[in-house]
Amino acid sequence: MDNQAPKVSPRNLALRFISGKYQGGEFPLAENQEIFVGRSSDLDMVLVEDMVSRRHARIACSGDQIHIEDLGSTNGTFVNGEKIKKTALKEGDRVLIGTSILKVVSVDPSAPAPRRRLDEPSMRTGQTKTMSGSIDEIPLPDLLQLFGTSKKSGVLVIRSEEDVGKIYLRKGIVTYATINDLAEMPPMKSMYRVLTWTGGTFDLEPAEERVITGEISATVQELLMDGLRQIDELNNIRHQLPDLTAQLTVPHPLKPQLRDLTPTDLDVFQIAYNHRLMATVLNKSPATDLETAQSVLKLIQGGYLRAE
């Protein structure tokens, strides 16, 4: 992987730590600069953690280009979700080294020095800190792609204003997902719904030592492809759907024949008959949100349900 970087002077850029134990720190870049990154204390950028090799990577600023090169590290260097040997960097790129995610950001050379620099003593300690950050800064699909490619293990906990989602990873493979620890919501449905979240925080916590009933096994790439497709299709019909607070009622008498419905439609019809609230129907349906929404539309258009 080797792409052309745009002509942006390195002196107007910095590497900002957006996740990991050094989160909030910045490392300014300069023209004709060579930066060695690793665990060894004599390097330019010292990252004190087990997943970082003693000499992990080299960042070279030459003219108007910036390149990063992996130096044969044990756990690899990743740029925008791809494992690299050497590649060019540009503004907006995200680099994963160990448990740190760095973003190439634009800075004002005349502005005061950042509040936290990487060479501060408090940022060169070995104090353990969870891998955390904001999904406003690094969107969830990008974050999952980084974790999948780098074969991370643990529980990715995502907190929005109202809900808590958990995505379980084992060496980059998704094995389970929940929202608010609701056991009745299938893991694939939980996974696809969490992907729609655009705000909140994340923490990669250690793997839970327990047996989980209903484990799945899917690559991040598979889930992202299918999940983002479902999100697009759901967005296309969202304007036709009842509000989440709408009541779904069954007309009396019921004229259309139940035998004409599919098993999924029958499930959704029964849940609507029992619970009425649109939000509850989405939560309790065993089908994905897209499949449930499509069934609700079909049932309304076919005269099986009314939205009030």
Side-chain angles (χ1 to χ4, degrees):
M1 173 182 172
D2 197 352
N3 54 292
Q4 289 292 318
K7 296 182 180 302
V8 178
S9 173
R11 70 172 178 270
N12 296 328
L13 297 174
L15 292 169
R16 177 178 297 157
F17 286 74
I18 61 174
S19 176
K21 64 193 288 186
Y22 303 101
Q23 185 178 348
E26 282 188 6
F27 195 104
L29 301 176
E31 291 181 2
N32 302 318
Q33 181 185 28
E34 190 174 58
I35 304 161
F36 285 93
V37 184
R39 204 173 66 244
S40 179
S41 60
D42 61 345
L43 300 184
D44 308 289
M45 185 188 293
V46 181
L47 305 181
V48 186
E49 58 169 288
D50 293 340
M51 292 188 66
V52 175
S53 298
R54 290 183 60 79
R55 285 170 59 87
H56 196 106
R58 180 179 73 97
I59 300 169
C61 305
S62 177
D64 54 21
Q65 290 199 340
I66 307 167
H67 285 85
I68 184 168
E69 177 184 7
D70 184 80
L71 300 177
S73 66
T74 302
N75 293 297
T77 302
F78 301 83
V79 175
N80 299 330
E82 292 188 44
K83 190 173 186 177
I84 60 99
K85 290 185 177 179
K86 183 178 180 180
T87 190
L89 290 178
K90 62 184 183 301
E91 184 180 349
D93 283 348
R94 299 180 181 92
V95 180
L96 174 65
I97 297 177
T99 63
S100 293
I101 301 175
L102 305 85
K103 185 178 181 180
V104 182
V105 298
S106 177
V107 293
D108 182 356
S110 62
R115 183 171 53 87
R116 298 180 71 195
R117 292 174 60 93
L118 196 63
D119 52 7
E120 291 180 8
S122 61
M123 300 193 63
R124 295 173 70 99
T125 68
Q127 183 179 0
T128 301
K129 180 180 177 181
T130 182
M131 189 172 183
S132 61
S134 167
I135 59 175
D136 300 86
E137 180 111 47
I138 175 167
L140 200 49
D142 294 358
L143 183 66
L144 283 167
Q145 189 171 343
L146 279 173
F147 289 170
T149 309
S150 57
K151 296 181 167 56
K152 287 281 188 286
S153 295
V155 183
L156 179 61
V157 181
I158 308 103
R159 295 177 175 86
S160 69
E161 289 186 2
E162 300 176 349
D163 301 295
V164 177
K166 294 180 181 179
I167 298 173
Y168 294 72
L169 296 160
R170 185 183 298 133
K171 295 184 178 179
I173 299 296
V174 176
T175 60
Y176 200 68
T178 65
I179 295 177
N180 299 330
D181 291 322
L182 295 174
E184 64 266 27
M185 189 178 293
M188 295 294 281
K189 179 172 183 168
S190 299
M191 176 75 190
Y192 293 150
R193 188 179 292 187
V194 170
L195 282 177
T196 66
W197 298 359
T198 56
T201 61
F202 72 86
D203 294 273
L204 184 64
E205 299 181 351
E208 296 182 4
E209 297 297 329
R210 65 185 179 94
V211 176
I212 299 176
T213 304
E215 273 199 5
I216 60 175
S217 180
T219 67
V220 167
Q221 196 63 33
E222 291 169 343
L223 291 173
L224 288 179
M225 287 179 64
D226 196 36
L228 296 177
R229 175 191 62 80
Q230 290 200 31
I231 290 169
D232 285 343
E233 291 186 26
L234 185 57
N235 285 336
N236 288 336
I237 64 172
R238 194 176 296 278
H239 66 284
Q240 304 176 55
L241 294 171
D243 292 338
L244 293 177
T245 56
Q247 296 285 325
L248 302 177
T249 60
V250 178
H252 184 77
L254 182 62
K255 294 181 180 179
Q257 299 295 315
L258 291 177
R259 64 171 175 263
D260 295 334
L261 298 178
T262 67
T264 297
D265 295 334
L266 283 170
D267 284 342
V268 173
F269 178 82
Q270 184 172 6
I271 295 168
Y273 178 78
N274 289 334
H275 299 281
R276 293 194 172 192
L277 190 66
M278 178 65 181
T280 305
V281 172
L282 284 169
N283 286 339
K284 288 190 172 292
S285 169
T288 65
D289 285 343
L290 174 61
E291 293 165 337
T292 303
Q294 290 170 334
S295 282
V296 168
L297 279 181
K298 178 180 174 180
L299 292 168
I300 291 174
Q301 293 166 358
Y304 294 91
L305 292 175
R306 273 199 305 253
E308 299 177 351

